[in-house]
Each structure stands twice: as C-alpha cells, then as structure tokens.
Amino acid sequence: MWRQANWNEPLIYELSSDKKRKQGIIIPEEDIDVKIDIPEKIKRKNELEIPELSELEVVRHFVRLSQQNFGVDLGMMPLGSCTMKYNPKVEELTSRVVENYHPLQDEDTVQGILEMMYEMQKWLAEITGMDECSLQIPAGAAGELAGVLMIKKYHESKNRRRDEMLVADTAHGTNPASATMAGYKVIYIKSNQEGLVDIDILKEVVNSKTAGFMLTNPNTLGLFEENILEISKIIHSIDGVLYYDGANLNGILGVARPGDMGFDIVHINLHKTFAVPHGGGGPGAGAICAKGELKDYLPYPIVDKEGDKYVLRNPVKTIGKIASFYGNIGNVIRAYVYILGLGPQGVSQVGKMSTLATNYLISKLKNVKGLELLAPHRPRKHEVVFSAKPLLNDKGVTALDIAKALLDRGFHAPTIYFPGIIEEALMIEPTETEPKETLDKFIDALKEILEESYKDPEKIHQTPQNTTVKRLDQVKANHPTSVTPSYRVLRLREKGVIKILK
C-alpha cells in the first residue's frame, strides 16, 4: 500500500532561533568608507525577519517538504491537457550552459546561445507548419495573449474594426481570458453531439466583426476536429485569423501540422509538449509561430543568421515584447535538448505513442460500470474525458471522490470537472512516456475505486487517508480568509492586526 511521508514539518520561521545565527554562514563586516544617507522615512523600523538556521537544518527542512510532495519522478500524473510527461535528466545538465551568461551581453559573446535559439525557431516552424517562430513568450497563456494581440494589430493595420473573438466551448479557460484582455467580446461556439465544433453554428456566427477563432486540435475531449479544413475555409472567407492553442499538440506531434490544417498562428507550450519541467507555478517556456503576413507581427526579437554570425532582428510590424529579454532561455535549451535527443524519427513517434496509450486506457475502461464516454465509437488522441455521472446517480460518489481515492493508491489525480460540457468529468492524459505496466496499474486502481464505490461509497468519501494532508473542507480551503500568503500575514493575524472573518 502506498504511503506518503508525514513529517509534521513546521514553518521554517518556527525552526529559527537567534542563538543559531552563529551556526549558519557568517558574513564578515568590512570597513566601508562610503556612507549612504538613507532618508528616515524609508528606513526599516524593525529588524528584518529572516529565519536563522544552520545549513544542515535548512537542507533537512526542504528535503522533508519535498518528500511530502508529488511529482512525475514519483508516479504517474495523468492530468488531462497538462501533458505531465517525464523530463529527461540530461536536460538539467544542459540548462546550466546558459546560467553564466547575462541577457545584456553583446551579441558577439553569446553566439552559441543564439545559434541554439536560431535552430529551435527553425525546428518549431517545421514541426508546426509555420513560417517563423519567436521564443520570447514565457508560457502558454502569454502565448495566447501574444496571438490575440497579433490578430488585433493585423486587423487594425487594415483599418478594420473587429471586436469579436470566437472560442470553442471545449477551450481552455485562458482562451476567453486572453481574448478579453485584448479587448475582444468572446463568442462561444457550441460543440455538436459528437463533441466537435458545430459547423452550422459556426457559419451562423461568423460575420464582419469576427477577428478570429481560437481552437485547439485535438480538442480537450481528445477528439480530432475532422472538419478543420472547412472550419479554416469559413474563417478565412472573411479574412479572419485561425489561432491554434498548442496545449494539445502532443496528440499530433510528428504526425500532423497545424499549418497544413489552415491555422495562421500557433502557440507552443514547451513545458508540456517538449518535456520542460513544470507545475507548482512554473517556470514555463513557450514559443509563438505564424505564417504569411502574420509573421511580421511576432514578438521581438527573432534570431537571424547573417553569413556566419547570428543576430537579433525585430519583425517589421511586431507587437513588441510579452516578457523581458528573450524568454525563458534556460527552459528553451531544455526543450532543444529534448528534440535533439529524439531526432526526426523520435519526434514522429510522440503523437503516435501518446495516442496509443490513451486508446489502450479507453479499451480497458469504456465498459466499466460507473463511467460513460461521449462518442465512444470515436478514437481519441492524447487524452480522454470520462464522465462519472452514472456513479454519482447510483451511489453519490463524485469525480472529486474518485480523484481523492486515486491519491491513496499512489497516482496523481486527473483533471476533474473540465471541460464544462461533460458532467463529472475525469480528464486523463497518460502521455507517451508511461510504460504499459504503469498504465495497467492505473487501470486496476480506477476499477478498484469504482467497485468499492458500489460496495461502500462512504469509504471512498473519506479518502485520501495515505497522504500527508487528508481531505480538506473545500469551502473553507478556498475562502480568502483561510489562505495565508506569507509569514508576515500570519503574524499580523495572530496579533489581531488583520481580522479573520468567521
């Protein structure tokens, strides 16, 4: 039986003591001739509150915390639309290459890094079927924002006033958020009974105010949009822009290219598709690519080659920068090494193997009591979304309960309650890196939970029991007064300076 560590570890501040200061690193005080006259109004009134511990105590504290965490190095993380694949450790060694450089260095001193960026741009353009790519964006949502800003500037350059952005109802929540941030009115396009874009509705909605359509293919149900060429034709008939959300690129990687489907702009999550470590808030990495006229609107800089020298260039109609400097280069080089290690043949296997893994899961789970699947006759790509609605109706056990019970069996929970068009959704993405033996264990665990739910639903309601933290009160855990963002806020609450609402 799987068990997670439980150290009952206190906050690092609670381990601290003034008496321990001498056990840590002592920085010698040196005579400084220059005196800095700091205005009284900005001087600190109290001593800086930092923990005082020895190096050994610091190491043990954070190692214990890490043992109370969960990551892909410990077990399968089937988070749908997150592509939590294994990250080869060789990437960590190569990322150190860029650590000794500064983004403000002269181009002549960083030719090696620029060469890597240049090749990465070319590879990603070839993989996606685009003309040019920028590595400047830090992650996926920033890529979306860059994309819609490019669309906005494209239409403005043609003196058009277009204020509507179409978004599929299976889209990631960041799609409408990014469109809204760019000033667009979001229009949702409903799916048909097969889980695909409803072409008839799309035709009715598209008009002279339509700026573009944000779509991912395969969609978040894991289904390939088989009418994508017709969708492209409809959008392009009014000179709209077809935007590709790259969150699900893993399902077609090396097999099909968005550019060949009619997409004009593509953002790529390097931290998903190309095995850059992510989770826990980052750091991510991304790229945004475009073809035709739209490549002139990409964020700057782009790396070009002039003779034997690599140089930085700004696209002629660039939207500017989305982040500082050149993007998260430390993560870009991780993705570079991942692609280099796979080679063309390896890249072509990613989409095939991730699709195979997903459909293997479906074959073992689609007839299991308690679950149902939309359009079961259709094969999936990188992920599948089951509904636990039958189990909820029969025994009152929810998708959340199933997710919690999986934690007790050593598996990270899948994505739940997304997309919203599927009730009691369980979105599972196994990725191509999980061996068949692990997939079988996951299948057995899910079947065991479903069987237990029918025999003793209360037992499932009480999960997890084997984790560091047991089940939380969902309402209390999400209430603003329950969240303590910093040690300072905790101290102020304890002193009564900040009131806690009951």
Side-chain angles (χ1 to χ4, degrees):
M1 180 64 75
W2 183 82
R3 292 283 189 278
Q4 192 172 30
N6 191 346
W7 288 101
N8 195 26
E9 189 70 8
L11 295 174
I12 195 168
Y13 288 93
E14 295 170 352
L15 294 170
S16 176
S17 168
D18 290 338
K19 296 178 181 179
K20 296 178 181 177
R21 181 172 297 181
K22 293 181 180 179
Q23 298 175 21
I25 298 173
I26 300 175
I27 301 174
E29 293 184 9
E30 298 179 356
D31 294 331
I32 301 175
D33 294 331
V34 179
K35 291 185 178 181
I36 301 174
D37 188 17
I38 301 175
E40 194 65 31
K41 64 180 180 180
I42 65 170
K43 281 185 179 179
R44 179 178 291 280
K45 300 298 184 291
N46 302 306
E47 262 193 61
L48 182 63
E49 288 189 77
I50 56 174
E52 299 287 353
L53 291 90
S54 67
E55 180 179 328
L56 175 62
E57 289 173 306
V58 172
V59 170
R60 284 178 177 167
H61 174 71
F62 285 106
V63 168
R64 285 170 177 165
L65 290 180
S66 72
Q67 291 173 347
Q68 295 179 158
N69 206 343
F70 191 92
V72 74
D73 288 356
L74 286 176
M76 180 179 173
M77 300 186 72
L79 282 162
S81 278
C82 292
T83 316
M84 304 297 283
K85 63 174 70 177
Y86 173 71
N87 313 130
K89 294 297 173 279
V90 67
E91 294 178 8
E92 298 307 307
L93 298 175
T94 55
S95 68
R96 296 175 188 174
V97 171
V98 300
E99 289 180 0
N100 294 324
Y101 293 92
H102 194 281
L104 293 178
Q105 283 185 229
D106 188 86
E107 289 178 12
D108 292 335
T109 68
V110 290
Q111 284 294 295
I113 293 175
L114 293 180
E115 180 182 5
M116 179 274 293
M117 294 172 65
Y118 177 81
E119 291 188 349
M120 192 65 170
Q121 290 172 182
K122 296 297 183 184
W123 293 350
L124 295 177
E126 175 63 27
I127 287 169
T128 58
M130 296 286 113
D131 293 336
E132 196 160 70
C133 297
S134 168
L135 304 173
Q136 212 271 326
I137 62 170
E144 293 176 17
L145 180 60
V148 291
L149 289 176
M150 288 169 64
I151 295 171
K152 190 179 186 72
K153 191 168 184 179
Y154 169 74
H155 287 301
E156 287 176 347
S157 70
K158 296 180 180 293
N159 296 316
R160 297 173 182 154
R161 183 175 177 78
R162 299 197 176 186
D163 61 358
E164 294 181 357
M165 183 64 69
L166 309 185
V167 175
D169 64 356
T170 55
H172 297 94
T174 47
N175 282 192
S178 298
T180 301
M181 285 182 69
Y184 285 109
K185 177 183 177 182
V186 175
I187 308 295
Y188 284 99
I189 305 299
K190 285 189 175 183
S191 300
N192 59 26
Q193 293 182 339
E194 296 288 298
L196 304 173
V197 170
D198 192 310
I199 297 296
D200 293 332
I201 292 177
L202 181 64
K203 289 177 179 177
E204 289 180 13
V205 170
V206 168
N207 61 77
S208 59
K209 294 183 179 180
T210 302
F213 188 13
M214 301 181 77
L215 189 64
T216 185
N217 193 23
N219 65 25
T220 53
L221 297 175
L223 295 166
F224 188 85
E225 294 286 353
E226 59 184 26
N227 297 314
I228 187 60
L229 295 180
E230 186 176 357
I231 292 170
S232 171
K233 186 176 180 180
I234 294 168
I235 298 301
H236 291 151
S237 68
I238 46 93
D239 197 23
V241 178
L242 191 56
Y243 173 88
Y244 185 86
D245 177 345
N248 298 338
L249 180 61
N250 209 59
I252 59 170
L253 187 65
V255 179
R257 306 191 308 172
D260 299 333
M261 302 175 200
F263 285 95
D264 305 295
I265 300 175
V266 174
H267 97 248
I268 305 168
N269 296 302
L270 298 181
H271 56 277
K272 289 184 179 184
T273 314
F274 296 100
V276 173
H278 69 292
I288 186 160
C289 310
K291 67 179 183 180
E293 287 183 70
L294 286 155
K295 69 179 176 27
D296 293 335
Y297 297 87
L298 285 166
Y300 74 89
I302 304 290
V303 181
D304 265 348
K305 189 175 182 181
E306 296 180 355
D308 294 330
K309 185 178 179 181
Y310 296 93
V311 297
L312 299 173
R313 170 180 63 82
N314 295 353
V316 292
K317 298 178 182 178
T318 180
I319 59 168
K321 287 189 174 184
I322 294 296
S324 60
F325 300 115
Y326 314 116
N328 289 341
I329 301 303
N331 276 344
V332 172
I333 197 170
R334 285 179 167 95
Y336 175 84
V337 170
Y338 175 74
I339 297 173
L340 197 63
L342 286 175
Q345 291 182 330
V347 170
S348 71
Q349 289 297 310
V350 172
K352 298 172 186 176
M353 295 306 295
S354 61
T355 298
L356 179 62
T358 301
N359 287 281
Y360 177 71
L361 281 177
I362 294 171
S363 70
K364 300 293 184 179
L365 294 171
K366 66 179 180 180
N367 295 319
V368 175
K369 185 180 180 182
L371 298 179
E372 64 182 8
L373 181 64
L374 177 69
H377 58 284
R378 287 185 175 274
R380 264 54 174 185
K381 292 297 180 183
H382 64 301
E383 66 190 5
V384 59
V385 183
F386 285 100
S387 170
K389 187 179 179 183
L391 184 61
L392 174 63
N393 292 339
D394 293 343
K395 290 294 179 179
V397 175
T398 65
L400 176 64
D401 293 326
I402 295 173
K404 298 294 185 184
L406 279 167
L407 302 182
D408 266 350
R409 289 157 176 82
F411 294 98
H412 196 285
T415 302
I416 56 175
Y417 300 114
F418 177 76
I421 64 171
I422 302 295
E423 295 183 64
E424 296 298 319
L426 289 164
M427 180 191 275
I428 303 168
E429 182 180 3
T431 82
E432 75 284 358
T433 60
E434 293 296 343
K436 179 179 177 295
E437 291 78 10
T438 301
L439 297 181
D440 287 334
K441 289 177 182 178
F442 178 79
I443 291 164
D444 290 343
L446 198 48
K447 286 181 176 179
E448 180 183 272
I449 292 166
L450 293 167
E451 289 174 7
E452 190 69 45
S453 297
Y454 279 97
K455 293 176 183 176
D456 186 2
E458 187 55 32
K459 186 175 180 180
I460 302 300
H461 289 315
Q462 296 303 316
T463 57
Q465 293 295 318
N466 302 330
T467 51
T468 304
V469 178
K470 306 302 183 283
R471 187 177 295 217
L472 302 175
D473 181 318
Q474 294 292 110
V475 175
K476 184 178 179 182
N478 285 283
H479 197 281
T481 58
S482 300
V483 178
T484 306
S486 68
Y487 181 67
R488 178 176 175 274
V489 171
L490 176 64
R491 290 287 299 276
L492 292 173
R493 284 179 176 173
E494 291 173 342
K495 293 177 181 178
V497 177
I498 297 179
K499 302 296 182 182
I500 301 178
L501 300 176
K502 302 296 183 182

